[in-house]
C-alpha cells in the first residue's frame, strides 16, 4: 500500500509588513502598513496584525487606512527586498526537502514525505520551519498540513486561527474539521459561487462533499443554466480533499508556451508613431531577453494594442510567422512594428504588448548568408549578463532616454512597484 503523502503549505504572516518591521525594530509595537505614503489614493499592500486590529485592511486606500488609524506608519514597498527574503525562505525549506513549489511570493508548498526519517513527524517539521524562518528573517509562518495540496491549502487557512499557527487536515478529520465550515471558506469559492451554492441550499462544505457527484453535477447545471460539469467535479473533489497534483519544484520547460511583455501607457503621450516605436522596441528587448534566459526562441511574433478613441476604446491583436525561429531583438522588433503599423487606426495608445510563441530550444541557430546571427546572439547574451549583474538599466538603448521611453522607469520597479 502506497504511503500517504505529507504536503505542507507554509504562508508568511503579513509578509511585506513583517519584513519591514524586522528591518525597523523601533516600529515593533507600532501599527505598520506597506503602501505609498505620498499617495492618499494609493493601495495598502499589507498591514501588520496591530494595524489590522485597528481595522486597516489590504487593498483599501491609504487615506482610508489613516482615517481609521491615525498612528499608522505607512512604508513605501521595496519589492526587490521582498523577493530576496522570499528566496531566502525557499532556501530554508530546501534544507528540509527538495520538493518545494512556490505558490506566491509568501506561500510555498513542500512535500516532506521523504524527510520524516531525518526531521521527525510533520508537526515537528512544521515547528522547525517556523523557528528557522523566524530566526533568519523575522517573519512568522503559518503552516497547513495535509495529504494533498488542496488540503494543505485549506489547512493553512485554519492554521491562521490556531494558537501555534499549525493545522493538519487529513481524511480522518475531514468531516469534523472541514465539512462543518461555511461554504465560502472552501478554496476558490468567491462571492459569486457562494451565492449560487446558497441558492442551492449548500451552505456548508460538507453539503457538497456528501452529495454523489452525478447529483451535484445535475443540481449545479440546473442552477447555472449552462454546462458546468467540469466546475462541479472540481468543487466536489475540493470538498473531499481529492487532488492528485504533485508538488512541482520547478516549472516544466515543455509547459512554456509563450514569452510576452506588455505596458500600460498614458495615452495622451502616445499619439505619434515615433513615440510608440520607442515602447515597441523596449517591449521587444524585454521579450527577447526573457526568451534567451529561458533558452528558447520562437517563430510567431504577436503585437496588441488598446486605442483610446474619442467615443470609446478599441483594441486589436495580430500575429505573424517568421521565416526562422529567433530571440534576436531587431528581428522581433521589426516584425512587431510591421504588425502595429498595418493595424493601428492612429488613435492614442493606452496599452501595448509583444509576445513570442511557437517556441523551441535555442541550441541550434539558423544561419543566414547576409548576417552573422550567431555573433549577434553572443552580443545580446553579453548584454544580458551585464544587465543581470549590474541591473536592467546598466545597458540601455539611446531611444529609451527619450521622454516616450518607459525602460528607465521600469528598471526602478518590480511588478509595478518600486524596488
Amino acid at each position: 500500500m502506497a504511503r500517504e503523502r505529507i504536503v505542507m503549505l507554509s504562508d508568511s504572516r503579513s509578509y511585506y509588513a513583517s519584513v519591514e518591521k524586522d528591518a525597523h525594530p523601533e516600529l515593533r509595537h507600532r501599527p505598520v502598513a506597506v503602501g505609498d505614503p505620498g499617495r492618499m489614493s494609493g493601495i495598502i499592500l499589507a498591514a501588520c496584525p496591530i494595524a489590522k486590529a485597528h481595522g486597516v485592511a489590504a487593498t483599501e486606500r491609504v487615506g482610508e487606512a489613516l482615517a481609521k488609524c491615525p498612528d499608522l506608519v505607512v512604508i513605501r514597498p521595496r519589492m526587490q527586498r521582498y523577493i530576496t527574503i522570499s528566496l531566502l525562505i525557499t532556501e530554508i525549506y530546501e534544507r528540509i526537502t527538495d520538493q518545494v513549489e512556490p505558490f506566491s511570493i509568501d506561500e510555498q508548498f513542500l512535500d516532506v514525505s521523504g524527510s520524516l526519517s531525518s526531521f521527525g513527524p510533520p508537526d515537528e517539521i512544521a515547528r522547525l520551519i517556523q523557528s528557522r524562518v523566524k530566526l533568519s528573517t523575522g517573519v512568522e509562518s503559518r503552516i497547513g498540513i495535509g495529504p494533498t495540496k488542496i488540503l494543505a491549502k485549506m489547512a493553512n487557512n485554519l492554521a491562521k486561527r490556531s494558537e501555534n499557527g499549525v493545522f493538519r487536515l487529513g481524511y480522518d478529520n475531514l468531516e469534523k474539521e472541514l465539512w462543518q465550515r461555511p461554504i465560502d471558506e472552501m478554496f476558490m469559492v468567491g462571492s459569486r459561487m457562494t451565492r449560487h451554492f446558497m441558492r442551492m441550499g449548500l451552505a456548508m462544505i460538507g453539503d457538497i462533499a456528501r452529495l454523489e457527484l452525478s447529483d451535484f453535477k445535475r443540481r449545479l447545471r440546473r442552477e447555472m443554466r449552462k454546462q458546468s460539469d467540469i466546475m462541479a467535479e472540481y468543487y466536489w473533489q475540493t470538498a473531499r480533499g481529492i487532488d492528485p497534483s504533485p508538488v512541482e519544484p520547478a516549472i516544466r520547460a515543455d509547459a512554456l508556451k509563450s514569452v510576452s511583455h506588455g505596458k500600460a501607457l498614458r495615452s495622451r503621450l502616445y499619439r505619434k508613431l515615433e513615440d510608440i516605436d520607442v515602447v515597441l522596441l523596449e517591449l521587444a528587448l524585454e521579450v527577447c531577453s526573457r526568451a534567451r534566459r529561458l533558452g528558447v526562441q520562437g517563430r510567431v511574433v504577436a503585437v496588441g494594442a488598446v486605442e483610446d478613441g474619442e467615443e470609446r476604446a478599441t483594441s486589436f491583436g495580430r500575429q505573424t510567422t517568421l521565416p526562422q525561429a529567433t530571440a534576436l531583438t531587431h528581428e522581433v522588433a521589426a516584425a512587431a512594428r510591421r504588425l502595429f503599423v498595418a493595424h493601428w487606426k492612429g488613435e492614442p495608445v493606452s496599452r501595448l504588448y509583444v509576445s513570442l510563441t511557437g517556441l523551441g530550444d535555442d541550441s541550434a541557430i539558423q544561419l543566414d548568408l547576409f548576417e552573422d546571427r550567431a555573433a549577434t546572439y553572443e552580443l545580446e547574451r553579453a548584454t544580458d549578463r551585464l544587465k543581470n549583474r549590474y541591473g536592467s538599466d546598466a545597458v540601455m538603448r539611446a531611444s529609451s532616454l527619450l521622454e516616450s521611453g518607459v525602460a528607465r522607469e521600469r528598471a526602478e520597479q518590480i511588478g509595478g512597484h518600486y524596488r
Side-chain angles (χ1 to χ4, degrees):
M1 183 176 178
R3 183 178 62 180
E4 188 175 84
R5 288 192 302 159
I6 306 295
V7 179
M8 297 181 175
L9 179 67
S10 183
D11 163 68
S12 299
R13 186 183 187 191
S14 304
Y15 180 58
Y16 296 169
S18 295
V19 171
E20 294 301 344
K21 293 193 84 164
D22 184 63
H24 299 89
E26 71 278 9
L27 300 177
R28 183 172 302 165
H29 303 297
R30 299 278 304 279
V32 170
V34 175
D36 189 342
R39 293 180 59 221
M40 293 297 103
S41 62
I43 297 297
I44 295 291
L45 299 178
C48 76
I50 299 174
K52 289 177 180 177
H54 286 81
V56 177
T59 73
E60 72 178 342
R61 304 290 181 185
V62 171
E64 295 170 347
L66 287 169
K68 294 177 181 176
C69 182
D71 295 332
L72 183 68
V73 179
V74 182
I75 299 176
R76 189 179 184 181
R78 299 183 295 161
M79 300 308 296
Q80 183 60 63
R81 179 65 176 168
Y82 307 147
I83 293 171
T84 300
I85 296 296
S86 180
L87 293 173
L88 173 59
I89 292 173
T90 302
E91 291 178 6
I92 293 171
Y93 298 154
E94 289 175 340
R95 296 188 189 112
I96 295 171
T97 174
D98 60 353
Q99 302 297 302
V100 179
E101 176 185 345
F103 186 61
S104 68
I105 193 171
D106 62 345
E107 294 179 293
Q108 304 193 48
F109 284 107
L110 302 82
D111 189 329
V112 299
S113 306
S115 304
L116 305 182
S117 59
S118 300
F119 297 96
D123 285 350
E124 287 188 18
I125 293 177
R127 289 193 292 272
L128 177 64
I129 288 171
Q130 288 177 319
S131 175
R132 288 185 176 181
V133 171
K134 178 69 173 176
L135 286 171
S136 299
T137 68
V139 175
E140 295 182 359
S141 305
R142 284 82 56 92
I143 299 174
I145 306 171
T148 66
K149 290 167 70 174
I150 200 71
L151 282 180
K153 174 62 178 173
M154 289 192 286
N156 181 271
N157 293 336
L158 298 174
K160 296 174 183 178
R161 305 169 190 168
S162 68
E163 188 174 339
N164 64 355
V166 177
F167 199 90
R168 185 190 69 84
L169 271 180
Y171 296 120
D172 59 332
N173 69 344
L174 203 60
E175 185 170 356
K176 175 185 175 184
E177 301 291 354
L178 184 65
W179 289 6
Q180 308 303 319
R181 310 301 306 179
I183 194 66
D184 62 353
E185 292 187 18
M186 191 165 77
F187 183 57
M188 294 299 289
V189 174
S191 57
R192 178 173 169 270
M193 284 308 303
T194 296
R195 290 194 294 271
H196 282 300
F197 289 144
M198 294 298 286
R199 282 197 294 266
M200 295 166 65
L202 305 174
M204 314 298 286
I205 296 175
D207 293 338
I208 292 178
R210 293 185 181 95
L211 290 173
E212 291 295 327
L213 177 58
S214 57
D215 185 24
F216 181 50
K217 284 183 177 180
R218 184 166 52 252
R219 293 176 64 172
L220 189 61
R221 200 181 305 134
R222 186 166 60 242
E223 163 65 21
M224 301 189 73
R225 298 179 181 178
K226 62 180 180 180
Q227 198 65 250
S228 56
D229 287 358
I230 294 176
M231 187 184 301
E233 190 157 344
Y234 170 79
Y235 285 119
W236 184 82
Q237 289 187 356
T238 298
R240 293 189 168 209
I242 301 170
D243 179 13
S245 62
V247 173
E248 295 280 6
I251 299 173
R252 295 180 180 176
D254 59 3
L256 186 65
K257 302 298 183 183
S258 69
V259 182
S260 62
H261 195 62
K263 182 67 180 176
L265 304 170
R266 294 184 289 273
S267 59
R268 60 184 174 80
L269 301 178
Y270 295 92
R271 301 169 178 270
K272 300 177 181 179
L273 182 59
E274 62 193 62
D275 294 324
I276 297 167
D277 274 340
V278 175
V279 182
L280 279 173
L281 176 58
E282 291 178 338
L283 295 178
L285 276 162
E286 184 68 29
V287 166
C288 291
S289 179
R290 288 183 185 178
R292 292 190 296 270
R293 186 165 61 248
L294 294 165
V296 297
Q297 53 187 349
R299 288 199 63 185
V300 180
V301 174
V303 66
V306 176
E307 298 182 63
D308 287 349
E310 291 185 4
E311 296 183 359
R312 64 187 180 92
T314 59
S315 63
F316 68 85
R318 296 291 188 275
Q319 66 181 39
T320 185
T321 301
L322 303 178
Q324 70 257 334
T326 187
L328 293 176
T329 300
H330 70 284
E331 294 177 346
V332 172
R337 188 183 191 278
R338 286 195 300 271
L339 282 171
F340 180 83
V341 170
H343 299 283
W344 180 43
K345 297 176 183 176
E347 301 284 359
V349 174
S350 61
R351 183 165 181 82
L352 276 175
Y353 79 83
V354 172
S355 72
L356 189 62
T357 58
L359 302 180
D361 183 73
D362 70 353
S363 57
I365 298 172
Q366 178 67 45
L367 300 180
D368 191 293
L369 289 174
F370 305 101
E371 180 186 3
D372 191 343
R373 299 182 77 240
T376 307
Y377 261 102
E378 284 307 308
L379 178 61
E380 296 212 355
R381 286 175 178 138
T383 303
D384 294 339
R385 290 192 291 270
L386 287 172
K387 290 184 175 183
N388 290 338
R389 184 168 183 177
Y390 298 108
S392 58
D393 57 348
V395 180
M396 194 172 289
R397 297 286 178 113
S399 58
S400 292
L401 301 178
L402 297 171
E403 185 179 357
S404 54
V406 295
R408 284 180 299 171
E409 180 184 6
R410 195 171 67 245
E412 298 176 358
Q413 299 177 336
I414 296 178
H417 302 286
Y418 287 96
R419 294 171 182 267

